[in-house]
Amino acid sequence: MSIEHRDDTGARFGMWLFLYTEVILFSGLFILYAMALSKFPQQFAEASHKLNIYFGSINTIVLLTSSLTIALAVTAIQRGRIRQTLILCGVTVALALLFLVNKYFEWSEEIGHGIYPGSEHLAEMGPGVTNFFNLYYFTAGLHGLHVFIGATLISIVAVLTAKGKVTSDRYTLLENSALYWHLVDLVWIFLFPLYYLIL
Amino acid sequence: MSEHTHEPVPYRTFILIWVALLILTGITIAVSRVHLGALNIWIALGVASIKSSLVIFVFMHLRQESKLFKIGLLVMLSILAIFIGFTFFDVLYR
Amino acid sequence: MSEKTTYTGFWQESPRTGILGWLLTTDHKRIGILYLGCIITMFIVAAILGLAIRLELIAPGRTIMDAQTYNATFTVHGIIMIFMFLIPSIPAAFGNLLLPIHIGARDVSFPKLNLLSWYCYIVGGVLAVTSIFSGGGAPDTGWTFYVPFSTQTNTNVSLAAFAAFMLGFSSILTGINFVTTVHRLRCKGMKWGRLPLFVWTLYATAWIQVLATPMIGITLVLIILERTFGAGLFDVARGGDPILYQHLFWIYSHPAVYIMILPGMGVISEIIPTFSRKPLFGYWAMALSSLAIAFAGSLVWAHHMYASGMSDLAILIFSFLTFIVAIPSAIKVFNWVSTLYKGSIELAPPMLFALAFIFNFAIGGLGGLALGAAASDIHLHDTTFVVGHFHYVMFGGGGFALFAAMHYWLPKFTGRMYNHKMAVIGWALLFVGFNVTYMAMQAVGIMGMPRRYYDYIPEFTTLNLVSTIGSWVMAVGLIIMFANLWHGLRKGRPVGKNPWGGATLEWDIPSPPPMENFGEEDPVVTKGPYEFKGVVADEY
Amino acid sequence: MNPLANPTAQAVDNVLIYIFGVSLLLLLGITVATIYLVVKYRRSKYPEPTSDTHGNLWLEAVWTLLPTLIVLTMFWYGWTNYLGLREVPAGAFQVEATGRMWSWQFKYENGRTSNKLYVPVGKPIKVIINSTDVLHSFFIPAFRIKRDAVPGIETYVWFQSPETGSYDIFCSEYCGLGHADMITSTEVLSAEDFERWYAESTLATPEVPRGRKLLEKHGCLGCHSFDGSSSIATTFDVLKGTKRKIMSDGVEKEVEVDAEYLRRSIRAPGADLVEGFPPIMPAYGDAINEADLDEIINFLLNGEQKTSLDGNKLIEENGCLGCHSTDGSSSIGPGLKGLGGRTSEVKREGHELKLKVDAEYLRRAIRDPNHEVVEGYPAIMPSNDHLSDEEIDAMVEELLKK
Ligand code: HEA
Ligand code: HEA
Ligand code: CUA
Ligand SMILES: [Cu+2]
């Protein structure tokens, strides 16, 4: 085999393309949301009240901070500071877990109130509210899945960094994982106001 | 190789952006407590767009990428807008 | 001729030998061959189901199967033909084989991702086949999975939907790979204006794959969630909207029809200049119309929904846009025909398939216009006219383009030539059988026979019989064609590197191409893809 | 296709003819040009191309513009004619069509229901379309109209037939197993025929009950009436449970009207005379046989209060025949012929059972069909919660007779 061809810009571009597909994936749910909001503005506002804004806000801060730490990690690896990189990756993963734990408590609380897809309590609250919560669960669920995947990805990259496979001149993997993580953040940036802050 | 990597963004920049993001989050929450009717949702979306631009351009280094990346993003966003917008032609006028 | 030569080039050279050399390969040509094998297999399976559909419809009432089996048959036929045959056919098989060679690259940008995409395809395929034999039985929703039926039926819809999801994922990965490859790996001198049109169409297609496919992903996931949790997202009583499902579905599935046809158009744009020995007429018009189709094609999805209860304003807008997409297609047809003018035309088998493509695609596409107009679609919607339309464009267009590509590039990738006389016989039977089958289907659709009908009223008998007879003529043609190609690739006469006198890069390298395509030195391109001056065709 | 000239078909046909016509010309042009060029410039005649042009801006402009113009006319013509399909003329006659697996039910403004669409000739008809389960589509090829039936959303079509006749209605949106059998027709009747049909009530039996026939046969109604309109004798409308003052053998008594009393009053009227009426009723003695007498008494006691339900009609109108045949063949569900007295092999909660088909079994089969599922059939029969007990009883009675 001849010399291995390496194209970091190409790799990043590929990652961006993949992120585009992720956005479109979520947009399916946002289309449903937009249509339902135009049909049931009152009910959506009313349903939104039932969500716990504290959980939402804390999670927003958690995710924004994790986005910061992973961005810092990229700078760290560029500067060749492996230890810093590892710490920053670790913090990011920890924040991701915090997010998920938070989500777990939030969902348990809501499910405890009898609010979950297909529940009877929900059916009693009318079509608009039901639709809001169905969408909320599906969107937040899909987002949660992405948080999980992102955290896994960053953990793997951290291990590779520790092993010296990701270095100051070979860090596309970390960069791409960071891009993925920012996407997770981006989705939440829209999800948060749309679900928690409609009044 | 210079084409393949860009200058590291200083920590300071990232932290400043982070602070801005937190402030913007505070703003949306605050504004959402005020009743403005349909305006609320537009403000929320507007602030979210500003926040996401900050993330995209700075955290995600789009600033430093070539035109191709930016055009790609633009194409994706316009398609997205079309998908959502055109669906309204049905739902709003049924 | 009968001496048993083994293939050289990429068939032999591989870091790993044996079956693993294939299953773990990252070489674009090997992956292309893997795809091609699977795709042809899938095509034969689904085509036999198609034949069974026609047999059932040979006369009113039950003939060879019961209603439930029939419903499952056309559903599986549609799912396989669309998600496992036509969407990956030209892009994944011939795109992989040719895209890097056409732009002077050694491989695609992400060879490992390429292999992963093939595995996603295989997983999707296996799951789809599993869904036929497990759970509540083969899915019976039609390939469109319309709610609420798809959320209520007891058949194995979730698994089939998940299979389609995996296939979509595979398609996305291929798209990402191709866009990046075209941007990053063009060789020296390969300016945008020198890309072969096949590359242009693959490029346009890849963008659709990237930007539209996720939509079917989320739609299918919603179907699965709906079936598992019963949330009622598309149930009016619970705030949902069944028509929105159709929007989500067609937002992907209309652009998907252009995933199916665009690369086919690219193939035709390669073949016609070669066999006319003349540059393609209107290069830029052809290149840009591909992008135009890809873009405008993303704006017209709701033309499948005129009768769905959608708003009239939406019908106005989507009908208008539908007609706009027809324009770039018309430009292409006119440019192909004028390429023939003052050429030196050889009616070799690939050229015959290409000309048949133009004819079939014109019929299908013009039929599409009658469907695009609001008033006439109201009558034609969900009749067998629509079935005729899409077989004309998908089989007569996409399918014939694939067959053209197989006849055109088989010598390149195997180094052997098939029998031309048999190829012409197969082509003629296929062409005649095809037109009889689907013309009759369109006619009975105009009379008002709804599609997905297991049984029909006696007035429709004659035309259905004609259609079934046509399908058997077509079957004979296909068998001859496949047998001839198979025989050719095993025992055909060896050929040199350029049997047709083509001017694109693949004809400059040995047949079959070596592992990294271009040997030690990267190619440098100095002329356009259709400059035939000085190109000498090898004897074959 | 149908030669019938009607407004909706004309709107659609104009567009079809225009688009197909233009398309045919284009196709012909392209095909002829291709064949001509292929033959003329064949390689044996021209071993080398005689031109190596890369294009021609003018030509390309022409064939960008030309198709644009053509398709724009097609679009506009298609759209304007489509509007004709949506604008229902004022004063249209309204019918509601409900699609369900796998039959249509039509409901008229006077409450009449049917499973064929009966309409008057020459009048615009607006059909309002609904669905109770999945998507269906209401399609009448002869009138070129089609609209989906969407659960929870109302849609409509209109048409107008200038001629009487019968035209097929198909379900054109795939809806599962019985999709191809979801066929009915629209019966276009003359104005008079339609009036007559429209006035008939649906549920009351058109047939007169036998008890009443017997009353007529024996001339009872010459003196009695059901609405108190006759002063000669008592009225029959409020017999059951009423008290009567009578003269029995010269003694004044009060009795309650029951079967025994009625029997005596008919066989030997002179014995008990109702106060206030002359003793003119003839004694029937043996003139009425025992069975007929029972029938009459039963009718007098229970008859007119209860409108008897027509089980057969209910079976037809509730879409049962969309899945069940009555001629002994098996379609989507088991055939209904010979149901009474049959033994049915069913699965209940996973257990296989052999059950005798009786009224109780049938009631269960209709109310809760998926509780016991007949062997060899899918569990797809819809439950019929909208039916009252009486209606189900009436249906069961008919089913047992089949
Ligand atoms: C390869 C796939 C493919 C392609 C390329 C097309 C191409 C087109 N299709 Fe088709 N279509 C399908 C696959 C495809 N379609 C499928 C699968 C369905 C049914 C799905 C289902 O319900 O199961 C469908 C259904 C479908 C419908 C919905 C019908 C219904 O259900 O009621 C409509 C309506 O507008 C439509 C329109 C068109 C149009 C206008 C084009 C245009 O792009 C055609 C453009 C081509 C030409 C115009 C011909 C060539 C040009 C000339 C000969 C020159 C002269 C032309 C002019 C002057 C204009 N198609
Ligand atoms: C690429 C797409 C494609 C192709 C090629 C075909 C090919 C065929 N299709 Fe298909 N069809 C669809 C896509 C396709 N179809 C789709 C999407 C639907 C809609 C499904 C839905 O409604 O949900 C559909 C629906 C559909 C229907 C409508 C069902 C209904 O609405 O009730 C019918 C009816 O006749 C039909 C028939 C056929 C026939 C006869 C063929 C023939 O062309 C097949 C010809 C091939 C053969 C006869 C096989 C010959 C080869 C061999 C026997 C192999 C031998 C091999 C060797 C020796 C190597 N198809
Ligand atoms: Cu009802 Cu098809
Ligand atoms: Cu379409």
Side-chain angles (χ1 to χ4, degrees):
Chain A
M1 293 287 92
S2 54
I3 23 97
E4 201 190 322
H5 185 85
R6 184 169 151 206
D7 177 10
D8 288 349
T9 308
R12 276 203 314 278
F13 185 56
M15 192 64 201
W16 275 91
L17 286 172
F18 182 69
L19 298 188
Y20 300 161
T21 71
E22 290 278 13
V23 174
I24 304 281
L25 185 79
F26 277 99
S27 80
L29 288 162
F30 284 117
I31 290 180
L32 291 181
Y33 178 91
M35 301 310 138
L37 177 65
S38 74
K39 209 155 124 195
F40 304 109
Q42 248 84 54
Q43 290 89 329
F44 263 47
E46 175 198 326
S48 164
H49 271 302
K50 296 193 169 54
L51 288 181
N52 190 325
I53 193 165
Y54 295 106
F55 278 122
S57 311
I58 291 172
N59 264 348
T60 307
I61 294 169
V62 167
L63 269 195
L64 287 175
T65 313
S66 72
S67 228
L68 168 72
T69 53
I70 198 71
L72 293 175
V74 174
T75 302
I77 193 94
Q78 282 171 326
R79 293 178 174 162
R81 298 179 190 158
I82 301 294
R83 237 181 75 81
Q84 263 184 24
T85 311
L86 285 177
I87 292 172
L88 286 166
C89 284
V91 174
T92 311
V93 174
L95 288 170
L97 293 182
L98 183 60
F99 178 91
L100 288 177
V101 169
N102 213 342
K103 191 103 248 165
Y104 170 79
F105 283 119
E106 183 185 359
W107 277 25
S108 338
E109 183 186 314
E110 277 145 20
I111 292 172
H113 288 155
I115 297 177
Y116 53 89
S119 81
E120 288 188 4
H121 182 55
L122 210 51
E124 283 160 17
M125 290 191 279
V129 176
T130 310
N131 195 273
F132 177 89
F133 279 107
N134 285 335
L135 284 172
Y136 163 72
Y137 272 102
F138 288 166
T139 317
L142 189 63
H143 178 261
L145 185 68
H146 279 76
V147 171
F148 180 76
I149 295 173
T152 315
L153 214 61
I154 293 172
S155 313
I156 294 173
V157 175
V159 171
L160 291 177
T161 314
K163 283 191 180 161
K165 294 246 169 70
V166 175
T167 60
S168 63
D169 58 18
R170 200 184 177 86
Y171 54 83
T172 320
L173 213 54
L174 176 59
E175 223 178 0
N176 279 350
S177 312
L179 284 177
Y180 187 86
W181 190 253
H182 293 307
L183 175 91
V184 172
D185 191 24
L186 279 179
V187 172
W188 186 260
I189 286 179
F190 282 90
L191 225 152
F192 171 61
L194 287 180
Y195 285 97
Y196 293 83
L197 300 183
I198 309 280
L199 278 180
Chain B
M1 267 294 131
S2 68
E3 192 224 347
H4 289 304
T5 51
H6 17 72
E7 279 301 294
V9 179
Y11 288 165
R12 234 176 71 86
T13 318
F14 281 148
I15 290 172
L16 281 178
I17 294 293
W18 175 65
V19 171
L21 286 172
L22 290 184
I23 292 172
L24 283 168
T25 307
I27 291 178
T28 15
I29 298 177
V31 171
S32 77
R33 303 289 106 181
V34 187
H35 276 277
L36 299 169
L39 208 57
N40 265 341
I41 187 100
W42 291 113
I43 294 179
L45 283 177
V47 176
S49 305
I50 299 173
K51 281 164 76 179
S52 44
S53 315
L54 289 178
V55 171
I56 289 172
F57 279 94
V58 185
F59 280 3
M60 297 173 82
H61 304 263
L62 188 66
R63 238 173 2 151
Q64 291 143 299
E65 301 286 9
S66 64
K67 252 217 222 88
L68 172 63
F69 288 64
K70 293 170 191 161
I71 294 176
L73 182 69
L74 203 68
V75 170
M76 186 273 284
L77 290 177
S78 7
I79 290 284
L80 182 68
I82 287 168
F83 286 170
I84 298 182
F86 280 25
T87 312
F88 272 115
F89 287 136
D90 171 18
V91 175
L92 285 189
Y93 298 89
R94 207 144 59 200
Chain C
M1 204 211 241
S2 58
E3 103 256 37
K4 201 154 169 18
T5 36
T6 39
Y7 292 140
T8 52
F10 73 98
W11 296 89
Q12 288 251 298
E13 307 158 14
S14 161
R16 278 194 201 77
T17 50
I19 188 79
L20 280 186
W22 286 90
L23 291 182
L24 297 178
T25 186
T26 51
D27 175 57
H28 68 95
K29 297 177 290 302
R30 287 197 162 201
I31 293 176
I33 296 288
L34 288 176
Y35 266 118
L36 190 61
C38 299
I39 280 157
I40 300 287
T41 314
M42 282 307 173
F43 171 71
I44 289 174
V45 172
I48 290 171
L49 292 178
L51 218 51
I53 297 176
R54 285 286 5 133
L55 265 188
E56 171 54 45
L57 293 181
I58 195 168
R62 183 192 163 120
T63 51
I64 61 163
M65 55 175 108
D66 59 34
Q68 183 65 31
T69 314
Y70 180 83
N71 294 346
T73 305
F74 73 68
T75 302
V76 174
H77 168 78
I79 291 177
I80 295 185
M81 280 296 190
I82 288 193
F83 294 111
M84 281 179 253
F85 168 60
L86 203 49
I87 287 182
S89 68
I90 299 183
F94 282 94
N96 262 316
L97 284 171
L98 283 154
L99 176 81
I101 307 184
H102 266 170
I103 62 171
R106 291 168 187 274
D107 209 321
V108 291
S109 273
F110 312 114
K112 285 187 201 130
L113 201 65
N114 207 8
L115 183 65
L116 176 65
S117 139
W118 182 73
Y119 275 104
C120 288
Y121 173 82
I122 291 298
V123 170
V126 169
L127 289 180
V129 173
T130 314
S131 80
I132 302 176
F133 300 109
S134 62
D140 63 343
T141 55
W143 80 282
T144 46
F145 297 112
Y146 271 13
V147 294
F149 185 73
S150 62
T151 59
Q152 289 177 8
T153 172
N154 296 318
T155 53
N156 220 346
V157 173
S158 300
L159 194 57
F162 187 67
F165 179 88
M166 286 309 289
L167 294 164
F169 198 62
S170 159
S171 184
I172 289 178
L173 295 183
T174 305
I176 290 177
N177 224 332
F178 284 6
V179 174
T180 316
T181 307
V182 172
H183 275 288
R184 304 293 308 170
L185 298 185
R186 277 167 291 130
C187 67
K188 245 207 193 84
M190 182 57 80
K191 297 187 276 192
W192 286 96
R194 286 181 184 159
L195 288 177
L197 270 162
F198 185 51
V199 175
W200 271 109
T201 54
L202 284 175
Y203 178 70
T205 308
W207 272 108
I208 312 182
Q209 286 175 302
V210 168
L211 291 184
T213 316
M215 201 56 103
I216 193 76
I218 189 70
T219 312
L220 294 171
V221 167
L222 287 178
I223 291 271
I224 297 171
L225 290 177
E226 200 63 10
R227 285 179 68 85
T228 356
F229 298 110
L233 264 189
F234 301 115
D235 178 355
V236 175
R238 283 180 278 178
D241 183 345
I243 298 178
L244 268 185
Y245 168 83
Q246 298 175 25
H247 280 291
L248 291 187
F249 181 82
W250 290 115
I251 284 178
Y252 165 70
S253 296
H254 181 81
V257 311
Y258 296 109
I259 299 181
M260 304 178 214
I261 201 69
L262 270 171
M265 292 169 157
V267 170
I268 304 309
S269 306
E270 294 301 310
I271 291 177
I272 288 187
T274 301
F275 292 95
S276 313
R277 292 190 67 74
K278 194 172 156 278
L280 189 68
F281 194 88
Y283 176 89
W284 278 108
M286 290 301 249
L288 295 180
S289 62
S290 304
L291 296 182
I293 290 179
F295 179 72
S298 304
L299 317 181
V300 305
W301 69 83
H303 68 199
H304 295 267
M305 299 163 55
Y306 293 160
S308 69
M310 184 174 67
S311 79
D312 286 344
L313 177 72
I315 293 179
L316 173 71
I317 290 167
F318 282 104
S319 173
F320 174 74
L321 291 167
T322 298
F323 280 101
I324 299 301
V325 211
I327 299 168
S329 301
I331 294 175
K332 280 186 186 292
V333 170
F334 291 136
N335 280 347
W336 286 323
V337 175
S338 29
T339 304
L340 301 173
Y341 178 68
K342 289 198 174 169
S344 159
I345 296 163
E346 186 194 359
L347 283 181
M351 186 64 166
L352 286 176
F353 276 102
L355 294 175
F357 170 98
I358 298 181
F359 182 76
N360 295 337
F361 176 69
I363 296 184
L366 292 167
L369 299 180
L371 296 172
S376 43
D377 182 64
I378 292 299
H379 179 60
L380 297 173
H381 172 71
D382 268 344
T383 62
T384 57
F385 184 87
V386 177
V387 181
H389 157 70
F390 67 67
H391 281 92
Y392 260 104
V393 277
M394 292 205 294
F395 191 13
F400 271 63
L402 177 75
F403 302 153
M406 281 159 57
H407 284 88
Y408 186 54
W409 280 304
L410 182 120
K412 173 87 286 172
F413 288 97
T414 64
R416 291 171 182 280
M417 184 58 86
Y418 46 83
N419 180 320
H420 279 209
K421 205 175 260 160
M422 289 311 280
V424 174
I425 295 175
W427 168 83
L429 286 172
L430 183 55
F431 181 68
V432 171
F434 174 86
N435 276 286
V436 170
T437 308
Y438 297 110
M439 203 40 99
M441 222 183 265
Q442 291 198 334
V444 76
I446 295 172
M447 286 167 63
M449 173 166 162
R451 63 192 281 208
R452 295 169 174 171
Y453 255 33
Y454 162 71
D455 187 6
Y456 49 84
I457 59 173
E459 280 103 301
F460 301 145
T461 310
T462 319
L463 283 167
N464 270 298
L465 178 65
V466 170
S467 178
T468 303
I469 294 173
S471 73
W472 282 94
V473 177
M474 176 162 58
V476 174
L478 271 172
I479 291 177
I480 294 177
M481 183 192 86
F482 277 124
N484 182 42
L485 286 174
W486 182 248
H487 185 265
L489 77 90
R490 305 264 314 217
K491 305 233 168 78
R493 221 167 338 118
V495 290
K497 63 179 187 178
N498 193 358
W500 310 122
T504 38
L505 281 177
E506 77 270 29
W507 305 111
D508 260 353
I509 57 175
S511 320
M515 200 62 187
E516 297 234 302
N517 303 341
F518 297 103
E520 291 301 294
E521 238 155 85
D522 282 333
V524 178
V525 178
T526 52
K527 61 186 178 69
Y530 308 114
E531 306 287 345
F532 292 93
K533 278 218 185 68
V535 173
V536 190
D538 292 343
E539 289 295 320
Y540 56 84
Chain D
M1 287 230 258
N2 220 290
L4 195 76
N6 62 75
T8 46
Q10 239 146 31
V12 170
D13 287 353
N14 288 341
V15 181
L16 273 178
I17 290 166
Y18 175 64
I19 296 185
F20 283 157
V22 174
S23 295
L24 205 63
L25 286 180
L26 284 165
L27 179 68
L28 224 67
I30 289 166
T31 313
V32 168
T34 308
I35 293 176
Y36 171 79
L37 292 172
V38 167
V39 172
K40 171 144 191 222
Y41 297 107
R42 60 191 180 275
R43 191 160 292 176
S44 53
K45 195 149 163 250
Y46 292 92
E48 283 304 317
T50 41
S51 147
D52 65 347
T53 172
H54 285 255
N56 177 320
L57 206 59
W58 275 111
L59 271 178
E60 286 168 54
V62 167
W63 54 65
T64 308
L65 233 65
L66 191 75
T68 308
L69 289 178
I70 295 177
V71 296
L72 286 182
T73 60
M74 288 177 177
F75 155 69
W76 188 246
Y77 200 41
W79 167 250
T80 47
N81 278 280
Y82 171 76
L83 287 179
L85 302 182
R86 304 305 298 154
E87 283 155 10
V88 187
F93 182 82
Q94 276 202 8
V95 188
E96 238 177 82
T98 305
R100 59 191 171 198
M101 290 167 159
W102 288 281
S103 58
W104 292 101
Q105 186 179 43
F106 300 100
K107 197 164 174 214
Y108 295 77
E109 276 175 340
N110 71 349
R112 168 129 215 209
T113 58
S114 73
N115 48 10
K116 282 184 180 180
L117 176 58
Y118 291 92
V119 296
V121 73
K123 243 188 150 181
I125 314 292
K126 179 177 183 183
V127 185
I128 295 174
I129 306 166
N130 272 311
S131 166
T132 57
D133 37 44
V134 299
L135 297 179
H136 302 278
S137 192
F138 182 85
F139 177 30
I140 312 184
F143 303 113
R144 317 282 190 271
I145 49 168
K146 179 182 291 134
R147 200 76 173 172
D148 283 5
V150 188
I153 294 176
E154 212 178 77
T155 55
Y156 70 90
V157 291
W158 81 272
F159 67 96
Q160 178 177 356
S161 176
E163 278 171 40
T164 60
S166 170
Y167 307 99
D168 292 313
I169 300 177
F170 295 132
C171 171
S172 65
E173 183 66 79
Y174 175 68
C175 52
L177 203 53
H179 168 56
D181 296 327
M182 199 166 154
I183 297 180
T184 180
S185 62
T186 171
E187 304 291 336
V188 182
L189 305 178
S190 65
E192 309 83 67
D193 285 351
F194 180 75
E195 271 317 309
R196 199 170 314 127
W197 180 86
Y198 194 54
E200 281 171 15
S201 135
T202 352
L203 290 185
T205 0
E207 240 177 82
V208 184
R210 217 171 86 82
R212 179 166 177 133
K213 274 203 193 127
L214 289 170
L215 290 179
E216 264 163 70
K217 177 178 159 201
H218 294 289
C220 320
L221 299 182
C223 304
H224 295 275
S225 72
F226 281 98
D227 49 9
S229 62
S230 169
S231 55
I232 305 172
T234 50
T235 156
F236 280 164
D237 58 346
V238 282
L239 281 180
K240 189 177 185 180
T242 47
K243 298 252 189 318
R244 284 269 189 273
K245 276 210 169 77
I246 56 168
M247 291 290 287
S248 185
D249 298 330
V251 190
E252 206 166 336
K253 277 208 275 194
E254 207 182 54
V255 298
E256 198 177 88
V257 175
D258 57 10
E260 209 30 59
Y261 164 77
L262 287 177
R263 182 178 300 275
R264 241 182 310 134
S265 307
I266 297 168
R267 287 254 192 259
D272 302 339
L273 283 175
V274 181
E275 204 179 54
F277 290 98
I280 51 170
M281 176 163 164
Y284 281 85
D286 294 335
I288 305 176
N289 67 37
E290 198 54 32
D292 283 2
L293 188 59
D294 281 348
E295 192 95 315
I296 289 173
I297 290 170
N298 189 31
F299 177 73
L300 287 178
L301 286 176
N302 307 316
E304 210 61 309
Q305 278 92 337
K306 191 179 121 203
T307 43
S308 60
L309 291 164
D310 185 337
N312 275 327
K313 223 172 197 133
L314 283 166
I315 291 173
E316 230 177 280
E317 294 194 342
N318 283 291
C320 313
L321 302 181
C323 301
H324 296 282
S325 79
T326 48
D327 58 4
S329 62
S330 147
S331 76
I332 292 157
L336 296 178
K337 191 169 175 195
L339 195 57
R342 184 154 95 195
T343 315
S344 208
E345 289 179 30
V346 301
K347 242 203 175 105
R348 181 201 292 160
E349 286 158 358
H351 304 291
E352 285 171 26
L353 302 171
K354 277 203 168 71
L355 296 178
K356 177 128 184 42
V357 173
D358 54 16
E360 208 32 60
Y361 168 81
L362 291 178
R363 255 177 237 126
R364 284 201 309 272
I366 298 170
R367 264 272 181 261
D368 190 5
N370 296 333
H371 184 57
E372 290 161 354
V373 176
V374 180
E375 217 34 62
Y377 291 93
I380 49 168
M381 175 164 159
S383 54
N384 290 291
D385 302 326
H386 61 285
L387 294 174
S388 67
D389 288 340
E390 290 77 37
E391 285 172 317
I392 289 189
D393 285 346
M395 291 160 80
V396 165
E397 197 176 315
E398 284 304 326
L399 286 175
L400 286 171
K401 284 195 217 147
K402 286 219 184 316

